[in-house]
Amino acid sequence: MLSQSILHTYKRYRTLHTHKITALPIVMLMPHSACNCRCVMCDIWKSNHHLKQLTEQDITGLIDSLRKFDTKQVVMSGGEALLNPNFFRLCEILKKEGIKVTLLSTGLTIKRNAEQLLNLVNDIIVSLDGNEPVHDLTRNIPGAFRKLEEGVHHMKSLDPRYRITARTVIHRLNFRNWPDIIETAKSMGLNQVSFLPADVSSHAFNREILWNESRQHEILPDENELPELQQVIDKIIAVHKVEFDNRFIAEPPEKIRKIHQYYSASLGLGPYPYKMCNAPWISTVIEADGTVRPCFFHPAIGNIHKNSLSEILNSDHAIQFRKSLDIDTDNTCMKCVCYLKLAPRAKV
């Protein structure tokens, strides 16, 4: 086991130095293209009538590449992954390979699927947008908060040790509710909550046409609101020292402060926050139609219906992309809200 761990670490170092993927710790899968929410900061739901989904054959076709790259974790994203009728069969295939499965979910149906989730999914990350009225308004689904809360409570009643965390996108419509979000996450029984700003400038989240300035400013805090956002952040950091220290709040205070800097930069008032990211070297994204991307925000580099994942990731085009990518100057990377940094020795 130790020798395998050393070999995996070596392969991750080699990937970073050669730009050829020899180890791929994390794979993001989108099992289903549709979503059961209609969030104000996302357009995925607008294509619910154009359904696409990964099949059992798609996942079995990935296994050789996942073995070759010694993949440790598959993150089921979306859309809402649980809408795939074969979702748990996909999990079975991955779990048989010893791959950890993490689910990103709206949380609307976790109560209904609780027993299978406990057996086949290692942990769940739910979306939490505010207290009950703010969450339901953001999700555009009446009763969304209640279903999420009931699902978390039910899962915890079956296994109190099961890890369920929350991810919150902070934006114009909910930043004033930020302190309540922390208290809501605690009262709900979640293990942790993390925060990030809203992406409004990329083609991610099903934006075939980029949002115009007017649409962006429905989500971006305006210049007059930035001082209030700073006050909210300062208050959170001052009041929730315990939650930062015990990592109930996932990010350290300095990263929370960068959310204000991000929105300032979005309004042209300063530079975007400095970030460190190696996502294209340690992970990949496979969408519901088989499209493969280096991360959620960069253009596609292939499709698993045409080539194997290993062929796609180590094609001349993909290797050249990684060689030439400078996250400090690349426009997509500079505006990224969801960067990932994993050192070669770090455990997944």
Side-chain angles (χ1 to χ4, degrees), residues 32-36 44-45 47-49 51-52 78-81 83:
H32 202 272
S33 64
C35 190
N36 51 12
I44 289 175
W45 56 273
S47 292
N48 279 2
H49 53 291
L51 296 182
K52 304 179 184 68
E80 173 54 61
L83 291 176

Side-chain angles (χ1 to χ4, degrees), residues 150-179:
E150 288 178 352
V152 172
H153 287 169
H154 184 62
M155 294 282 290
K156 290 291 188 177
S157 72
L158 296 175
D159 184 355
R161 299 168 300 173
Y162 190 82
R163 185 170 174 82
I164 308 177
T165 62
R167 179 175 294 174
T168 300
V169 177
I170 295 293
H171 48 75
R172 185 179 193 180
L173 304 180
N174 72 351
F175 79 84
R176 296 175 181 88
N177 194 233
W178 200 339

Side-chain angles (χ1 to χ4, degrees), residues 125-136:
I125 303 171
V126 296
S127 298
L128 178 65
D129 297 294
N131 57 20
E132 184 167 2
V134 174
H135 182 85
D136 287 358

Side-chain angles (χ1 to χ4, degrees), residues 19-21 69 309-316 318-319 322:
H19 305 286
K20 181 177 181 180
I21 302 294
F69 294 141
L309 182 62
S310 59
E311 290 172 336
I312 294 168
L313 294 180
N314 284 325
S315 67
D316 292 342
I319 292 173
R322 290 188 290 272

